[in-house]
Amino acid sequence: MENQEKLALSIQKEMIQFNLKRMRTVAWTLMYVTAIITIIHYGEVFFSETESEMVPVYIAIHTILFYIDLAVLLFVREKKIQVTSLNLRKYEFILLAYIYTILLLITVITVMDVYFFKHAALYEVLFLMICTVFAIPFRKIFWIMFITVPAILISAYMSNGISGEGIKVFLPMSLIIPMGLIIQRHTYKVQKQFTTQHILLDEEMTKSKQLSKLLAEKNNELSEQALRDTLTNLPNRRAFNNKLTQIGQQLSKPKSLTVIMVDIDFFKNFNDYYGHLQGDEALKKVAGLIEEIAEKYNAFAARWGGEEFIIVSHHAAKFAEHVCEEILEEVYNLNIRHERSKIADVVTVSIGMCHAKISISEHLNTCCALADEALYTAKQNGRNNFYSKNENLDEVVC
């Protein structure tokens, strides 16, 4: 129900906006017509002496019409017209007031035309123009027709009776008024249908854009999730491979590269003794610490798999060694109990590091493999330590 009311209000606003623009068209047309007729009346060429007595009245009414149309053109500007729910009634009043006023003024002129010239052409033309140009419901123009049409017909009857002269007024009016009403009904119906379809189409397009935006956001979220380890929320192996690809694409000249591989000592024993839930908690804590240290030094950290983590950066060898020492110390300070460790009573890690100058993308995987070898050496050396390799890959060294 609320949507229907909202749609009805939107249609009403669009229809008034449409009619206000058409009102300017009518105003331009009537300004031209009234200007020409006023000039003719000033000349008094086509009037007899009796008819000339009415010229000032004609001129006065046409002058009033001219200034009304001028006011419409000055104050109802197309670019400034913005119909809202707040000013809807105001603009509707302006529109109807304009139509009613010009019809009343033209009716006064037509009554005189019927008396002097035996025709109602000006009213008929204006009535047809209003029915054709404006898209308004019949009930909005019924009351002004109820006043103006009988006034003209009564004037024709009193002036000419049911004579040949009277028929010249009655016959065209009996044809044109019904025709105008048919045109008016069709114009209103077609414009309302067009406006409704336009609004519904806009709403569908807006919904489609919102849905596309939401879908893009969800796709981005899914893409990010696909590159994240679900347990630790660190980038996963796939994200790390993407990072290596990115580094390889940016290689325009030799660069320093450091790969640090971290492995939790005796983690299988930890899982067997404390259970997988406690093991997961330990992984999260160690992963959070590694991520924090990596962010501090502008490095990239990822979960390599199982209890292994990997960090890649462009730091110098000495600085990278400092990072390794910090990881060893901070993991130990986490103070995660590990009674099944063979080297300490808390969780510790072993670290393998490779530092190299790389010049081609193939060196990236080589550096990772050498970091893995360094990790194996660190474990062979008693664990809870790090081992580094620093060689030149261009000479097949790391």
Side-chain angles (χ1 to χ4, degrees), residues 54-339:
M54 299 303 297
V55 167
V57 180
Y58 275 104
I59 292 175
I61 295 173
H62 281 295
T63 303
I64 292 169
L65 278 170
F66 181 87
Y67 282 110
I68 288 172
D69 293 326
L70 182 62
V72 167
L73 295 174
L74 288 175
F75 296 107
V76 184
R77 294 183 178 274
E78 194 166 325
K79 292 182 179 179
K80 292 185 178 180
I81 298 172
Q82 191 61 46
V83 181
T84 65
S85 54
L86 297 176
N87 60 23
L88 178 69
R89 297 302 174 196
K90 181 186 79 172
Y91 278 121
E92 185 180 31
F93 174 79
I94 291 172
L95 174 67
L96 294 177
Y98 175 72
I99 294 172
Y100 292 176
T101 303
I102 59 174
L103 272 174
L104 284 171
L105 291 172
I106 293 298
T107 299
V108 175
I109 294 173
T110 304
V111 167
M112 292 189 290
D113 284 344
V114 167
Y115 181 80
F116 289 111
F117 306 111
K118 318 304 179 189
H119 70 78
L122 191 59
Y123 182 89
E124 292 160 359
V125 170
L126 182 66
F127 181 77
L128 278 177
M129 184 167 64
I130 288 172
C131 291
T132 305
V133 173
F134 292 111
I136 53 178
F138 174 73
R139 67 180 183 276
K140 299 290 184 180
I141 62 170
F142 171 77
W143 295 109
I144 192 67
M145 284 180 55
F146 187 74
I147 296 170
T148 56
V149 173
I152 295 169
L153 294 177
I154 290 169
S155 172
Y157 178 77
M158 293 180 67
S159 302
N160 307 297
I162 310 298
S163 62
E165 298 294 337
I167 295 298
K168 291 179 182 179
V169 177
F170 292 129
L171 184 60
M173 289 281 285
S174 63
L175 293 173
I176 289 172
I177 297 301
M179 284 173 55
L181 293 176
I182 293 170
I183 292 170
Q184 182 272 333
R185 183 177 181 277
H186 179 73
T187 302
Y188 176 71
K189 184 179 178 181
V190 169
Q191 185 58 38
K192 188 176 181 180
Q193 287 176 345
F194 174 80
T195 303
T196 304
Q197 291 171 358
H198 178 71
I199 291 170
L200 292 174
L201 182 62
D202 279 350
E203 288 179 355
E204 287 300 318
M205 289 179 66
T206 302
K207 288 178 182 177
S208 178
K209 287 178 181 178
Q210 290 173 345
L211 188 60
S212 297
K213 184 180 178 182
L214 182 62
L215 189 60
E217 290 173 354
K218 291 296 181 184
N219 283 336
N220 289 336
E221 286 178 13
L222 289 173
S223 298
E224 289 178 6
Q225 288 173 7
L227 297 174
R228 287 274 169 183
D229 176 60
T230 54
L231 177 64
T232 62
N233 202 38
L234 277 177
N236 56 21
R237 182 79 168 264
R238 182 180 175 186
F240 181 78
N241 290 336
N242 289 348
K243 181 65 176 180
L244 290 187
T245 302
Q246 182 185 351
I247 293 172
Q249 290 171 346
Q250 294 172 348
L251 276 177
S252 57
K253 59 182 181 179
K255 286 184 179 180
S256 291
L257 184 76
T258 298
V259 176
I260 299 172
M261 197 164 285
V262 183
D263 182 78
I264 299 177
D265 296 326
F266 302 108
F267 188 69
K268 183 179 183 303
N269 296 350
F270 186 97
N271 263 342
D272 291 342
Y273 184 74
Y274 292 101
H276 287 281
L277 290 178
Q278 289 297 319
D280 288 348
E281 289 302 314
L283 279 172
K284 289 179 187 177
K285 289 178 181 179
V286 173
L289 177 65
I290 289 173
E291 183 177 32
E292 184 181 329
I293 292 172
E295 287 180 355
K296 183 166 68 172
Y297 296 117
N298 196 27
F300 181 85
R303 187 180 181 187
W304 186 250
E307 66 272 23
E308 290 185 326
F309 304 92
I310 193 164
I311 300 172
V312 62
S313 72
H314 296 289
H315 294 120
K318 288 295 181 185
F319 188 83
E321 289 177 2
H322 165 73
V323 174
C324 291
E325 290 171 352
E326 184 174 344
I327 293 171
L328 289 170
E329 181 181 352
E330 293 298 328
V331 170
Y332 188 89
N333 290 338
L334 285 174
N335 200 28
I336 303 171
R337 297 298 297 171
H338 190 353
E339 294 181 14

Side-chain angles (χ1 to χ4, degrees), residues 345-377:
D345 57 358
V346 293
V347 168
T348 59
V349 294
S350 298
I351 301 173
M353 183 190 86
C354 173
H355 176 77
K357 281 278 188 181
I358 61 170
S359 56
I360 57 175
S361 58
E362 286 77 5
H363 289 166
L364 296 165
N365 290 326
T366 304
C367 202
C368 291
L370 291 170
D372 194 37
E373 289 178 12
L375 174 61
Y376 179 78
T377 303

